[in-house]
């Protein structure tokens, strides 16, 4: 059942026990779609999907191939590999947003999806900041400063940028507070 304004999660795994368990764990908070192979995943995948939980090793189209094709198609969603495959150096070039090794608990899965959605919100706010800043820079480079001082549209644009920056900063603080990106920073520092 689709509930308006609920994020949509696509679970892709060739092991039906995982698909069923993950769907059951997620269905109270998210609209859940499922697929048991890579081909079916693409039939379920559209612009409404916010998060994909993707197994790596599946017969036919592997999770690695689904990931590569999703990124090649510019599908704008968060993708986590949730797999029994221990990560190796082959993951360096892969375009996933997170990686979890099975088995995962219900709590771990719910936290993973929530973290991916918070990161996506930050990405959107960050992109909005860049877009607004680019518009301001274009105006400032091509218009007389006195004209801009008198422009209500320019003043509104600057106000929108300040608001967007504050929202992005707040979201970043939340991500750090919840530990969603703490581990990544720690690994970079070491």
């Amino acid at each position: 059942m689709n509930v308006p304004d609920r994020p949509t999660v696509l679970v892709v795994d060739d092991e039906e026990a995982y698909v069923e368990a993950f769907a059951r764990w997620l269905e109270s908070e998210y609209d859940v779609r499922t697929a048991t192979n890579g081909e079916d995943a693409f039939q379920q995948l559209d612009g409404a999907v916010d998060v994909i939980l993707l197994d790596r090793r599946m017969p036919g189209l592997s999770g690695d191939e689904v990931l590569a094709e999703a990124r090649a198609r510019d599908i704008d969603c968060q993708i986590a590999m949730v797999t029994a495959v221990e990560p190796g150096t082959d993951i360096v070039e892969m375009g996933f947003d997170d990686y979890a090794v099975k088995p995962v608990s219900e709590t771990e899965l719910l936290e993973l999806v929530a973290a991916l959605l918070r990161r996506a919100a930050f990405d959107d706010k960050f992109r909005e900041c860049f877009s607004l800043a680019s518009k301001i820079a274009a105006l400032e480079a091509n218009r007389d400063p006195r004209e801009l001082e008198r422009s209500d549209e320019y003043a509104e644009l600057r106000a929108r940028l300040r608001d967007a920056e504050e929202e992005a900063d707040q979201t970043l603080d939340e991500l750090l507070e919840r530990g969603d990106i703490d581990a990544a920073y720690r690994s970079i520092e070491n």
Side-chain angles (χ1 to χ4, degrees), residues 36-91:
T36 55
N37 61 59
E39 293 82 7
D40 288 346
F42 282 112
Q43 292 178 5
Q44 297 288 325
L45 188 56
D46 59 31
V49 174
D50 299 293
V51 173
I52 302 173
L53 302 177
L54 185 59
D55 186 25
R56 286 189 70 184
R57 302 281 189 250
M58 297 183 292
L61 199 59
S62 73
D64 293 4
E65 292 169 315
V66 172
L67 170 66
E69 181 63 22
R71 294 306 189 210
R73 292 184 186 181
D74 285 333
I75 295 172
D76 187 25
C77 67
Q78 297 285 300
I79 302 176
M81 306 307 280
V82 182
T83 180
V85 178
E86 293 284 335
T89 56
D90 61 324
I91 69 167

Side-chain angles (χ1 to χ4, degrees), residues 128-129 132 156 158-168:
E128 181 182 6
C129 287
L132 293 168
E156 173 63 25
R158 294 199 55 87
R160 285 178 46 204
L161 177 58
R162 280 190 301 277
D163 291 345
E165 287 172 335
E166 287 175 15
E167 287 180 25

Side-chain angles (χ1 to χ4, degrees), residues 77-144:
C77 67
Q78 297 285 300
I79 302 176
M81 306 307 280
V82 182
T83 180
V85 178
E86 293 284 335
T89 56
D90 61 324
I91 69 167
V92 171
E93 298 299 321
M94 295 174 70
F96 59 79
D97 299 294
D98 213 325
Y99 197 102
V101 177
K102 291 186 228 169
V104 295
S105 70
E106 180 177 358
T107 300
E108 291 169 328
L109 190 73
L110 289 169
E111 287 175 355
L112 172 63
V113 171
L116 289 168
L117 291 169
R118 285 189 297 270
R119 290 180 204 166
F122 179 72
D123 288 347
D124 291 344
K125 291 173 185 174
F126 198 63
R127 278 185 280 215
E128 181 182 6
C129 287
F130 272 117
S131 174
L132 293 168
S134 294
K135 291 173 185 176
I136 290 169
L139 288 170
E140 290 175 348
N142 295 292
R143 294 287 182 222
D144 184 284

